[in-house]
């Protein structure tokens, strides 16, 4: 796995969001839209999207929220949440056109990556988070495959009292 800049993740390969679109699980993009975006990026025609309020809310709250639960997570599980080194983009070791930008990786005591933390905010209009969303599950499976780990989806860590709203695989 190789790492690149998370602040400007690659647009010319398949990341978690594009994987969701390619598989038809996105309500914001289509398989054709994902293909076109990647082809445009390869041709140097990429145009950044304007971030929405929920996107901005997630970006602003991600680091403080993960920092808030990180120490307790380590105490209760023995694992550590760590940011990706360098620039934060994982590339598949055999297929360099597949990448991911998980929010954190979970490492065991030896430092081996064993999982992923992906921070998600919920829709504040109804105050609930729906854990069964297929777009999130697809994105997390994509990231888990980059690290060659098995995904598991829990709102509460096994053997833990933590119940904060982020997903881990």
């Amino acid at each position: 796995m190789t790492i690149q800049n998370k602040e400007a993740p690659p647009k010319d390969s398949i990341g978690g969001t594009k994987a969701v679109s390619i598989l038809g699980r996105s309500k914001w993009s289509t398989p054709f839209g994902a293909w076109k975006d990647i082809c445009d990026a390869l041709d140097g025609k990429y145009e950044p999207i304007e971030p929405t309020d929920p996107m901005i809310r997630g970006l602003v709250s991600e680091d403080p929220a993960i920092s808030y639960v990180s120490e307790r997570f380590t105490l209760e599980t023995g694992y550590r949440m760590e940011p990706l080194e360098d620039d934060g983009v994982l590339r598949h070791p055999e297929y360099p056109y597949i990448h991911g930008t998980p929010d954190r990786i979970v490492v065991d005591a030896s430092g081996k990556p064993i999982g992923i933390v992906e921070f998600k905010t919920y829709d504040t209009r109804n105050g609930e988070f729906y854990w069964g969303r297929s777009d999130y599950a697809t994105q997390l499976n994509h990231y888990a495959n980059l690290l060659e780990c098995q995904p598991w989806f829990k709102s509460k860590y096994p053997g833990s009292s933590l119940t904060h709203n982020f997903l881990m695989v």
Side-chain angles (χ1 to χ4, degrees):
M1 124 185 87
T2 59
I3 300 178
Q4 294 180 353
N5 186 351
K6 185 174 181 179
E7 294 302 317
K11 306 300 179 202
D12 60 350
S13 63
I14 301 169
T17 302
K18 293 291 183 236
V20 171
S21 297
I22 289 167
L23 294 173
R25 293 185 164 189
S26 173
K27 61 182 178 181
W28 296 281
S29 182
T30 64
F32 175 78
W35 172 82
K36 183 176 181 331
D37 289 347
I38 292 170
C39 288
D40 285 350
L42 289 168
D43 290 339
K45 301 176 190 173
Y46 175 74
E47 294 184 26
I49 61 169
E50 190 68 31
T52 63
D53 287 342
M55 290 168 67
I56 293 168
R57 180 177 63 232
L59 290 170
V60 168
S61 59
E62 174 183 312
D63 285 337
I66 291 174
S67 292
Y68 176 74
V69 298
S70 185
E71 183 178 341
R72 187 167 170 199
F73 173 80
T74 298
L75 289 171
E76 293 192 17
T77 66
Y79 303 133
R80 295 184 321 273
M81 290 184 206
E82 293 187 356
L84 292 166
E85 296 176 3
D86 300 322
D87 47 15
V89 176
L90 301 173
R91 287 263 183 199
H92 193 281
E94 294 179 50
Y95 308 104
Y97 52 86
I98 298 175
H99 78 273
T101 55
D103 296 328
R104 297 290 185 278
I105 57 173
V106 176
V107 297
D108 65 14
S110 71
K112 178 185 176 207
I114 59 166
I116 295 162
V117 174
E118 184 65 20
F119 177 79
K120 299 293 184 195
T121 58
Y122 58 86
D123 184 342
T124 55
R125 290 174 289 179
N126 65 15
E128 295 181 14
F129 186 85
Y130 176 57
W131 289 99
R133 287 182 52 170
S134 64
D135 54 341
Y136 290 163
T138 301
Q139 180 186 28
L140 292 172
N141 273 292
H142 179 83
Y143 293 163
N145 281 300
L146 286 171
L147 286 174
E148 298 176 348
C149 62
Q150 293 297 313
W152 50 270
F153 302 94
K154 299 281 184 184
S155 59
K156 184 175 177 180
Y157 306 112
S160 168
S161 63
L162 293 174
T163 57
H164 298 284
N165 285 330
F166 56 91
L167 306 178
M168 178 179 160
V169 294

